[in-house]
Amino acid sequence: EIVLTQSPATLSLSPGERATLSCRASQSVNTYLVWYQQKPGQAPRLLIYDASNRATGIPARFSGSGSGTDFTLTISSLEPEDFAVYYCQQRSNWPITFGGGTKVEIK
Amino acid sequence: QVQLVEFGGGVVHPGGSLRLSCAASGFTFSSYGMHWVRQAPGKGLEWVAFIWFDGSNKYYADSVKGRFSISRDNHNNTLNLQMNSLRAEDTAVYFCAQPDSNNWRQLNYWGQGTLVTVSS
């Protein structure tokens, strides 16, 4: 199975700052990489699909990049509602696998 | 709009059984494969199982293979997860999720989840 490693585990930033989250795959997943956002007590929400495409309704401050094994989720300027946990997920092969998550917390 | 509501969670003893269901609405349920994903308390997401739109094929995570069984009722727009031989490590919130119509391994919509606690 494909292992996804997210870093850092926790990112402490202030509103208005730029957030850069990393996801590395144990083997190439092409661009079949998805990002989700999860807030406490809520279900995950689709943010980015196919590495760089924003899902419907997702603000332009969220962007994704990468291909192969290295991927990045960038939040250009953090809004208060962006403090949450972010997960990457590969859709290249069965079984679906998720990264361990990056928590973006208020500094 | 897509709505997914899970139910059936609760407390069960190790070795016991539980059946989860997910009521779907707002889309043509019989046209979509469906997933179960779980999240242990304070932990990350773990994919559990997937069933094709017509129920003809099913995939499972190794951690639940042989113990869990996914099924669906397209007449009643319901997804099910039969969980047998439950272990403490199966304690989690269980989400049902609808994938993208073209990319079955991309989870577009999620329910709010139902909590399963395996404890003596």
Side-chain angles (χ1 to χ4, degrees):
Chain A
E1 84 178 33
I2 297 174
V3 176
L4 298 178
T5 303
Q6 290 188 242
S7 61
T10 304
L11 201 50
S12 299
L13 295 168
S14 300
E17 289 193 295
R18 182 183 189 90
T20 303
L21 289 66
S22 174
C23 176
R24 178 164 291 179
S26 60
Q27 65 189 75
S28 177
V29 297
N30 201 321
T31 57
Y32 302 136
L33 196 285
V34 185
W35 290 95
Y36 302 91
Q37 176 194 66
Q38 188 180 32
K39 297 179 180 178
Q42 296 186 17
R45 177 175 72 145
L46 175 67
L47 282 181
I48 301 284
Y49 63 94
D50 290 349
S52 61
N53 297 289
R54 279 188 303 277
T56 303
I58 301 303
R61 63 181 181 273
F62 290 92
S63 64
S65 64
S67 66
T69 60
D70 290 300
F71 300 87
T72 300
L73 174 69
T74 301
I75 311 170
S76 59
S77 179
L78 283 163
E79 296 288 340
E81 62 267 28
D82 299 337
F83 291 92
V85 180
Y86 294 83
Y87 294 96
C88 59
Q89 174 237 313
Q90 63 82 18
R91 69 167 190 85
S92 177
N93 292 334
W94 294 105
I96 288 171
T97 50
F98 293 88
T102 290
K103 181 180 182 180
V104 179
E105 65 176 23
I106 300 176
K107 186 174 180 180
Chain B
Q1 73 281 18
V2 173
Q3 194 164 13
L4 301 167
V5 180
E6 302 91 340
F7 56 96
V11 180
V12 60
H13 293 305
S17 298
L18 206 59
R19 183 179 178 86
L20 306 182
S21 295
C22 169
S25 60
F27 64 103
T28 305
F29 181 71
S30 58
S31 296
Y32 285 81
M34 292 292 294
H35 295 266
W36 285 101
V37 178
R38 68 185 181 183
Q39 185 170 37
K43 302 297 184 184
L45 301 167
E46 180 189 16
W47 173 78
V48 173
F50 174 77
I51 185 169
W52 278 34
F53 64 98
D54 59 359
S56 60
N57 286 284
K58 304 171 186 181
Y59 307 139
Y60 297 94
D62 285 346
S63 58
V64 306
K65 202 173 292 183
R67 300 187 299 122
F68 289 12
S69 178
I70 189 171
S71 64
R72 64 191 299 155
D73 179 348
N74 283 347
H75 292 294
N76 291 309
N77 293 346
T78 303
L79 175 72
N80 303 303
L81 186 68
Q82 177 66 43
M83 304 185 296
N84 299 328
S85 303
L86 282 161
R87 306 165 180 167
E89 54 265 35
D90 295 318
T91 294
V93 173
Y94 285 73
F95 299 98
C96 65
Q98 180 212 43
D100 184 80
S101 57
N102 295 315
N103 300 306
W104 289 359
R105 294 187 284 260
Q106 173 184 314
L107 280 58
N108 282 10
Y109 295 99
W110 301 60
Q112 286 304 302
T114 186
L115 176 62
V116 173
T117 303
V118 183
S119 174
S120 53

